[in-house]
Amino acid sequence: MRTKAMPAACCTTLEARFRAVRGLSADLVAPLSDADASVQSMDDASPAKWHLAHTTWFFETFVLRDFVSGYRLHDDRFPFLFNSYYEAEGQRHARSRRGMVTRPSLAQVLDYRAAVDAALVAALPELPEAALALVELGCHHEEQHQELLLTDILHLFSCNPVEPAMWPGEPKVPVAMPGPIGWIEGTEGVAEIGAQGDGFAFDCEGPRHRVLLHPHAIADRTVTNGEWAAFIADGGYRDPRHWLSDGWAWVQREGIDAPLYWEQRDGGWTRFGLDGRRAIDPAAPVTHVSFFEADAYASWAGARLPTEAEWEVAAAGHDPAGGNQLDRAGPVEPRPSPTGPALFGDVWEWTGSAYRPYPGFTAAEGAVGEYNGKFMSGQCVLRGGSCATPRGHARASYRNFFYPHQRWQFTGVRLAKDL
């Protein structure tokens, strides 16, 4: 699951990282009640309590159970409740019914986390290199769930008629609308993409391989709320010419006429966020749009979505820890784009590429081999990270992936065009 093994001498640094990741998860759920943390708003989402327990189950199962002699499970019932999709780990509770698990309580799940944390930290100095690699994988896995936890809570709170805010909103400072999109000419010819092998990467990011890039340009910023409002006003959601067949069927069937969480109120567009409902910021990146919507907008704008190869080559010289990403518990939302072609943060950017294996890809042995490879069917690749992605988690080679209709994540649009 990694491109480079971690030496045992790094366990002190690994302990600090483990503690930081686990601490951030606890901070994120601090504003929630037990009820907030237990409810499941849709099949695609999971209760906050489940995220907390599942990430703990990962460490307990693949590290403590498998590498610490004499370790006894915290609760024999928890593997059935908190396994996600690992067939090799046996039967599990149905994903669509995770919201029915009112017990253990949030407090009991937090106790579970504390017990596993203490056991893992105590075991770290004696763990073999293979186990240390799994601890690092578990930290990156938990960071993925931190973003999912936030977007799942956002969806849950949006279903509440009183539209509660998770955190109070920050004062809005008016920002001028950005100028027209600028175009950056992309690399042409043979290039290389994929994990370099000099740090952590998920298995789906490799092997590194050559690609052929045709003449193209990529936009110097993402599409804004104001530009999306113009698409709506021009009948973008009512004109089948811009839509893929599956996308048009989805729009018609679901009655889609705006990004998720947008509503017309008092004569203008508003959006619901983790800070409650507010007027849209026309200068901020549009978010919570599906691949179908992103592709339709690109068609309307006379452009297209970038391929993941075009995006990665363009991003190679940018700081993946830059931009608006998650640093701590608190207000989370996309912000108006800064000047310059920032490719990381704010919103995940849909590409026109299917999520499929790279040439030479092989899944890891054992249960962790189910982590990514088995999902390489029917999904689309997103790049760049979002305002809810923990800072330091993303990189140029990182491949996020969702189904074309999904939009509860912080997903946005960067355009590309042929030259």
Side-chain angles (χ1 to χ4, degrees):
M1 297 301 296
R2 308 183 64 246
T3 58
K4 186 178 180 181
M6 169 174 286
C10 294
C11 67
T12 300
T13 301
L14 183 58
E15 178 183 340
R17 171 155 168 71
F18 174 77
R19 289 183 183 276
V21 170
R22 300 289 281 174
L24 178 56
S25 296
D27 291 344
L28 291 175
V29 301
L32 302 181
S33 68
D34 187 85
D36 291 334
S38 299
V39 177
Q40 182 177 21
S41 57
M42 62 172 174
D43 288 356
D44 284 336
S46 296
K49 187 172 65 179
W50 186 90
H51 287 294
L52 295 173
H54 166 69
T55 50
T56 304
W57 168 86
F58 187 97
F59 287 112
E60 183 179 45
T61 300
F62 297 123
V63 180
L64 296 177
R65 185 199 68 182
D66 290 352
F67 289 94
V68 178
S69 178
Y71 179 80
R72 296 184 62 183
L73 295 180
H74 183 79
D75 190 311
D76 292 340
R77 301 168 297 177
F78 285 5
F80 177 80
L81 291 178
F82 302 127
N83 178 8
S84 54
Y85 50 71
Y86 294 91
E87 299 287 348
E89 288 297 323
Q91 295 296 311
R92 58 204 175 278
H93 187 61
R95 177 176 181 171
S96 61
R97 295 181 62 79
R98 289 172 183 168
M100 304 301 291
V101 183
T102 57
R103 298 185 186 189
S105 67
L106 175 59
Q108 290 172 314
V109 167
L110 293 174
D111 287 343
Y112 173 41
R113 288 176 65 86
V116 168
D117 289 358
L120 193 142
V121 168
L124 267 179
E126 305 302 324
L127 289 177
E129 193 171 288
L132 294 176
L134 286 167
V135 174
E136 186 178 18
L137 173 62
C139 289
H140 287 268
H141 167 253
E142 182 145 351
E143 287 177 330
Q144 291 178 315
H145 278 273
Q146 288 166 348
E147 181 160 11
L148 288 166
L149 186 152
L150 288 174
T151 52
D152 291 356
I153 292 169
L154 174 57
H155 188 269
L156 171 66
F157 281 8
S158 77
C159 297
N160 187 324
V162 303
E163 295 188 319
M166 186 168 179
W167 292 291
E170 296 176 332
K172 298 294 183 184
V173 178
V175 176
M177 285 291 293
I181 285 175
W183 296 95
I184 302 170
E185 187 170 346
T187 298
E188 180 183 352
V190 176
E192 289 192 350
I193 65 169
Q196 295 271 17
D198 55 358
F200 178 88
F202 291 111
D203 58 355
C204 64
E205 296 175 53
R208 192 162 178 82
H209 61 286
R210 290 178 294 176
V211 293
L212 178 63
L213 300 179
H214 298 281
H216 70 281
I218 193 166
D220 65 351
R221 61 170 175 81
T222 52
V223 174
T224 65
N225 287 324
E227 290 166 333
W228 202 273
F231 169 66
I232 297 173
D234 195 46
Y237 281 90
R238 302 188 302 274
D239 189 342
R241 294 177 301 166
H242 303 308
W243 294 81
L244 297 169
S245 177
D246 287 346
W248 184 244
W250 171 76
V251 163
Q252 299 294 102
R253 182 176 64 252
E254 303 296 332
I256 306 297
D257 60 4
L260 186 63
Y261 307 132
W262 279 35
E263 285 187 10
Q264 282 272 13
R265 294 193 183 180
D266 300 323
W269 284 111
T270 66
R271 61 89 180 137
F272 180 73
L274 289 166
D275 57 352
R277 183 163 294 282
R278 294 185 172 212
I280 65 165
D281 182 344
V286 69
T287 189
H288 300 300
V289 294
S290 67
F291 171 83
F292 291 143
E293 291 165 285
D295 186 81
Y297 180 93
S299 173
W300 174 81
R304 61 173 174 82
L305 299 178
T307 67
E308 64 170 325
E310 291 169 347
W311 192 99
E312 182 172 331
V313 171
H318 293 257
D319 179 10
N324 175 23
Q325 300 183 53
L326 181 69
D327 293 302
R328 63 188 186 283
V332 173
E333 66 169 328
R335 298 172 185 161
S337 299
T339 57
L343 274 83
F344 292 93
D346 280 311
V347 292
W348 286 101
E349 301 173 13
W350 287 107
T351 73
S353 298
Y355 179 56
R356 292 290 294 146
Y358 285 160
F361 169 82
T362 56
E365 297 268 340
V368 293
E370 299 184 51
Y371 199 102
N372 287 308
K374 68 193 236 176
F375 298 110
M376 292 174 171
S377 172
Q379 306 202 59
C380 301
V381 174
L382 301 100
R383 295 297 192 112
S386 81
C387 55
T389 304
R391 193 176 304 280
H393 180 72
R395 55 203 154 267
S397 62
Y398 194 105
R399 306 174 79 197
N400 200 355
F401 50 93
F402 285 101
Y403 290 102
H405 69 280
Q406 292 176 320
R407 57 183 190 156
W408 90 107
Q409 296 298 308
F410 286 99
T411 50
V413 185
R414 185 184 300 270
L415 299 176
K417 64 179 180 180
D418 298 319
L419 294 179

